[in-house]
Amino acid sequence: DSIEATEAFTKKWISPDHLSACSSCTLSSIFSTNNRVEGRKFVDAINSLQYAIQGVMLVNPESHKLITRAHNLLSTAMKHLEKEFYRVLKSNRRNLDPESVSIRSIPSFNPRKKVSIYSNVPKSEEANIMTDLQMIADCLISSGYENECVRTYKKIRRSIIVDAVSKLGFENLSFGKIQKLDWDSMEKNIQKWLEATKIVITNLFDGERILCDHVFSTSASIAESCFSDITLDSALTLFIFPVSVARCRKTVEKIFLTLDVYQTISNLLPRIEEIFSYDSTSAVRLQAADSLRSLGEAINSMVGEFEASVAKESSKSAIPGGGVHPLTRYVMNFVVFLADYNESLAGVLTESNLPLPEDYYRNSDGFKNDVGETSSSSTVTTRLAWLILVLLCKIDTKSRLYENVALSYLFLANNLHYVISKVRMSNLRVVLGDEWVTNHERKVSQYLEKYEKVAWGEVLTSLYDEETVLLEEDVAKERLKRFNQAFEEAFQKQSSWVVPDSKMREGLKGTVTKKLTDVASLFYKKYHVETWEDIVKYVPKDLGNYLSDLYLGTGRTCFIVPSESGRSQLPESGC
């Protein structure tokens, strides 16, 4: 019965000249959508024929004619089945695209187990195709056609992977060629690699692993052999590129793209280890790990180079008006970007025993902040805090370029305030902690207090006297004249000074105005200054108007004079 059933299928589906024809020599495809049921019956008939042959040979080994007839029939059927396997693989390249296979896999499916990825999803054409391939492969392998089956599968699937990687635009360059690239070309190649790698790992290689495990679910060794031969070269090429990037000449501007490469591999590493879990694909896992190590060393080197460049910065020009130094902006922008990679840096940065001040991370109670509880995060915190400290030390040195002590304090306050604002508005606040911000805000206040004392101290003390002592009118008038002169000199001296941050600027003007107004009001009230019209120049309540342009760097050198009514008025611009 098995022989007759198989003969019926061969007469119906296989052309007489099948032995000399090409791989598509069928009157009609037995595994097409419309004929799929027939195709599966054909496989069942072949399996039954094999069992029948084994049975006859055990029960009636002398039936040579019957056995020969069955073997010939089986050989004919298997040759056709081999060609069907090729046709299904070849004609369904789009349906069996590994990216699509990966996307169609469901979250609950574990592709490393011998379970069809479609066992729990509605039937689809793609699912049917994979089931067909699995049935054909099982039949070919059990019938002794393993080599032919595997050779066909590897050839077609390898070409699909190579084509897919090529279409993603990643160009495999030798280390020598990479070394010769200018930075713009290098950046483009890295960007292409970043885009390609995420797709290749999460879709192409993952999908290919799923397909191999499914089609050869009855033989783990065959599934491993196929997957390894199909993907190994492409995968190794993919992870050799980052090593070449790491070996290139290390400059600071390359650090963030290098971090992108490191972060991409680091994030994908669990998938890489799962997809390439076979012993035969261990080289991919090792290459990925080696890429991370090399990139980590390069990043460490570039961070060190950046620190050295900050420490060696030797410009001798004072910033006009005590504003924010370009070095401060440059360093803080760099460190802010670094903080965005704090998770990756935790596995990269190695130097944590830096000589930071003992209370650098301690709050007012003397206890260490919660940041940095783990050694890796502590390393990142310490390293970034150290870079900022190197900057602040450099800024402290540059403050000595100012001959005016008050301006040097204003310069320090402006720059530290800028540093704090960058920390507060970025991931640096998470890395360094709120106590770091609080401690340094306290230092800004201290700088401003020193600035006020030096810049306005003489103005304030000019009107100061003992509350219980009433000065003679001539002496009091001299005090008022000295106040007028000191105020004008202080204003003229500071007219070109700047406080770039509007909130800090208004706060500082408010503090200075209040102190001046309080002292002047007490003096004017005590001595009835309003009667001294010949020497009164500034009305206490209008002192805020005098200071309205202060810290804007306007450079105004003329002063507000009282009107005939005794009220102060602002001058025309450009006086």
Side-chain angles (χ1 to χ4, degrees):
D1 291 341
S2 297
I3 294 174
E4 290 175 355
T6 306
E7 281 182 331
F9 273 108
T10 57
K11 288 178 181 179
K12 181 177 180 180
W13 294 101
I14 305 175
S15 63
D17 59 343
H18 68 276
L19 293 176
S20 59
C22 67
S23 61
S24 59
C25 63
T26 54
L27 298 173
S28 179
S29 173
I30 198 171
F31 283 96
S32 65
T33 302
N34 296 330
N35 300 323
R36 179 166 285 115
V37 174
E38 288 287 290
R40 292 179 180 179
K41 287 181 179 179
F42 181 49
V43 173
D44 288 339
I46 293 175
N47 289 330
S48 296
L49 180 60
Q50 289 188 79
Y51 289 127
I53 292 173
Q54 293 172 5
V56 170
M57 292 180 69
L58 287 173
V59 176
N60 190 8
E62 301 300 326
S63 303
H64 298 296
K65 186 176 180 179
L66 182 62
I67 293 172
T68 299
R69 177 187 170 196
H71 274 302
N72 290 337
L73 183 59
L74 180 62
S75 177
T76 299
M78 294 311 298
K79 288 183 182 299
H80 177 67
L81 198 59
E82 180 187 342
K83 292 171 182 177
E84 280 291 336
F85 189 63
Y86 177 92
R87 188 201 64 78
V88 173
L89 284 169
K90 189 76 173 178
S91 62
N92 289 284
R93 289 173 68 98
R94 178 173 296 180
N95 289 329
L96 296 177
D97 173 71
E99 182 175 356
S100 301
V101 171
S102 178
I103 292 172
R104 288 194 301 268
S105 64
I106 57 177
S108 60
F109 168 68
N110 184 346
R112 310 308 165 236
K113 294 181 179 179
K114 307 292 189 298
V115 179
S116 168
I117 73 171
Y118 295 104
S119 58
N120 297 318
V121 295
K123 288 294 182 181
S124 65
E125 179 62 17
E126 293 81 3
N128 283 323
I129 293 168
M130 291 181 68
T131 300
D132 291 343
L133 287 171
Q134 184 186 35
M135 289 181 66
I136 297 171
D138 288 347
C139 188
L140 288 170
I141 292 169
S142 64
S143 301
Y145 286 78
E146 175 183 326
N147 291 337
E148 292 83 353
C149 174
V150 169
R151 183 170 57 248
T152 298
Y153 185 89
K154 288 179 180 179
K155 179 180 179 181
I156 294 177
R157 297 306 301 173
R158 187 187 296 115
S159 68
I160 291 174
I161 289 292
V162 171
D163 288 347
V165 173
S166 177
K167 288 177 181 177
L168 289 172
F170 169 64
E171 185 179 2
N172 180 27
L173 300 174
S174 66
F175 175 67
K177 288 184 178 179
I178 291 175
Q179 285 280 57
K180 295 177 182 178
L181 291 177
D182 57 53
W183 176 237
D184 287 341
S185 299
M186 182 70 159
E187 188 173 4
K188 289 177 182 177
N189 275 275
I190 292 176
Q191 290 291 359
K192 287 180 180 178
W193 183 91
L194 290 169
E195 295 168 5
T197 298
K198 294 172 185 176
I199 296 173
V200 169
I201 296 298
T202 59
N203 294 334
L204 296 185
F205 291 156
D206 189 56
E208 192 59 42
R209 176 70 192 265
I210 291 170
L211 191 61
C212 283
D213 286 354
H214 183 80
V215 173
F216 300 105
S217 59
T218 58
S219 176
S221 61
I222 294 177
E224 176 178 354
S225 173
C226 287
F227 178 73
S228 177
D229 284 0
I230 290 166
T231 62
L232 190 61
D233 288 345
S234 294
L236 288 176
T237 298
L238 197 67
F239 293 114
I240 288 173
F241 177 77
V243 177
S244 298
V245 171
R247 289 170 57 194
C248 287
R249 189 170 66 86
K250 298 167 184 62
T251 54
V252 172
E253 70 268 15
K254 296 178 182 178
I255 189 170
F256 295 111
L257 269 180
T258 306
L259 273 165
D260 286 336
V261 175
Y262 180 94
Q263 187 169 267
T264 296
I265 299 175
S266 182
N267 291 341
L268 290 173
L269 195 59
R271 297 290 297 275
I272 294 167
E273 291 176 343
E274 180 188 13
I275 295 168
F276 295 93
S277 59
Y278 291 129
D279 290 341
S280 59
T281 55
S282 62
V284 177
R285 303 195 301 273
L286 292 173
Q287 186 62 59
D290 185 54
S291 295
L292 284 179
R293 181 188 56 77
S294 298
L295 290 166
E297 290 175 355
I299 292 165
N300 255 311
S301 176
M302 283 184 268
V303 171
E305 183 178 328
F306 175 76
E307 178 188 328
S309 69
V310 176
K312 292 176 182 177
E313 202 278 340
S314 58
S315 62
K316 299 296 182 182
S317 299
I319 299 302
V324 179
H325 200 285
L327 180 66
T328 304
R329 298 182 188 276
Y330 170 65
V331 172
M332 287 312 300
N333 286 335
F334 182 90
V335 178
V336 164
F337 282 126
L338 275 185
D340 290 337
Y341 294 89
N342 65 312
E343 291 184 5
S344 295
L345 288 172
V348 171
L349 298 179
T350 56
E351 193 171 10
S352 59
N353 297 320
L354 295 165
L356 287 168
E358 195 169 319
D359 62 345
Y360 208 62
Y361 299 111
R362 298 187 184 277
N363 56 32
S364 57
D365 298 322
F367 295 104
K368 195 169 184 180
N369 293 329
D370 290 336
V371 297
E373 287 298 323
T374 64
S375 59
S376 58
S377 60
S378 175
T379 300
V380 176
T381 301
T382 301
R383 194 76 165 119
L384 298 188
W386 176 256
L387 289 176
I388 294 175
L389 184 60
V390 171
L391 165 67
L392 294 178
C393 290
K394 181 61 65 172
I395 291 301
D396 184 72
T397 300
K398 292 185 180 299
S399 70
R400 297 165 198 167
L401 296 172
Y402 296 98
E403 295 181 1
N404 189 297
V405 176
L407 182 55
S408 70
Y409 282 126
L410 189 63
F411 172 76
L412 288 170
N414 279 330
N415 281 268
L416 182 53
H417 184 272
Y418 179 85
V419 169
I420 294 169
S421 66
K422 297 295 283 189
V423 171
R424 191 188 294 114
M425 296 185 296
S426 70
N427 200 43
L428 273 172
R429 185 162 194 163
V430 177
V431 176
L432 298 177
D434 289 336
E435 290 300 333
W436 186 98
V437 174
T438 301
N439 290 341
H440 286 77
E441 284 176 339
R442 193 177 300 119
K443 290 182 180 179
V444 172
S445 298
Q446 291 170 356
Y447 286 143
L448 291 177
E449 287 173 5
K450 291 178 179 178
Y451 152 76
E452 291 171 13
K453 184 177 181 179
V454 177
W456 297 100
E458 186 177 347
V459 182
L460 293 169
T461 57
S462 63
L463 293 181
Y464 177 79
D465 63 359
E466 295 291 338
E467 292 183 10
T468 58
V469 177
L470 189 66
L471 300 175
E472 293 182 6
E473 185 173 314
D474 290 343
V475 176
K477 285 184 176 181
E478 284 300 317
R479 287 282 187 89
L480 184 57
K481 290 178 180 179
R482 191 167 68 186
F483 169 80
N484 293 339
Q485 182 180 1
F487 181 80
E488 292 176 5
E489 288 177 353
F491 186 91
Q492 288 178 0
K493 194 177 292 182
Q494 298 178 64
S495 62
S496 60
W497 297 5
V498 296
V499 176
D501 183 81
S502 59
K503 186 176 180 180
M504 179 173 155
R505 180 172 61 249
E506 294 306 314
L508 184 57
K509 278 197 293 188
T511 301
V512 172
T513 299
K514 185 178 185 308
K515 288 181 178 181
L516 290 172
T517 302
D518 288 348
V519 170
S521 296
L522 286 172
F523 187 88
Y524 277 46
K525 183 178 181 180
K526 184 176 181 179
Y527 294 101
H528 304 288
V529 171
E530 65 273 8
T531 61
W532 303 346
E533 295 183 0
D534 56 330
I535 61 171
V536 172
K537 297 184 68 174
Y538 307 105
V539 179
K541 64 180 181 180
D542 288 337
L543 287 174
N545 292 331
Y546 287 92
L547 303 179
S548 61
D549 298 9
L550 203 60
Y551 312 125
L552 292 173
T554 59
R556 196 183 71 201
T557 56
C558 65
F559 280 85
I560 308 166
V561 295
S563 64
E564 292 182 1
S565 62
R567 291 188 58 83
S568 311
Q569 293 182 344
L570 294 172
E572 296 293 331
S573 59
C575 289

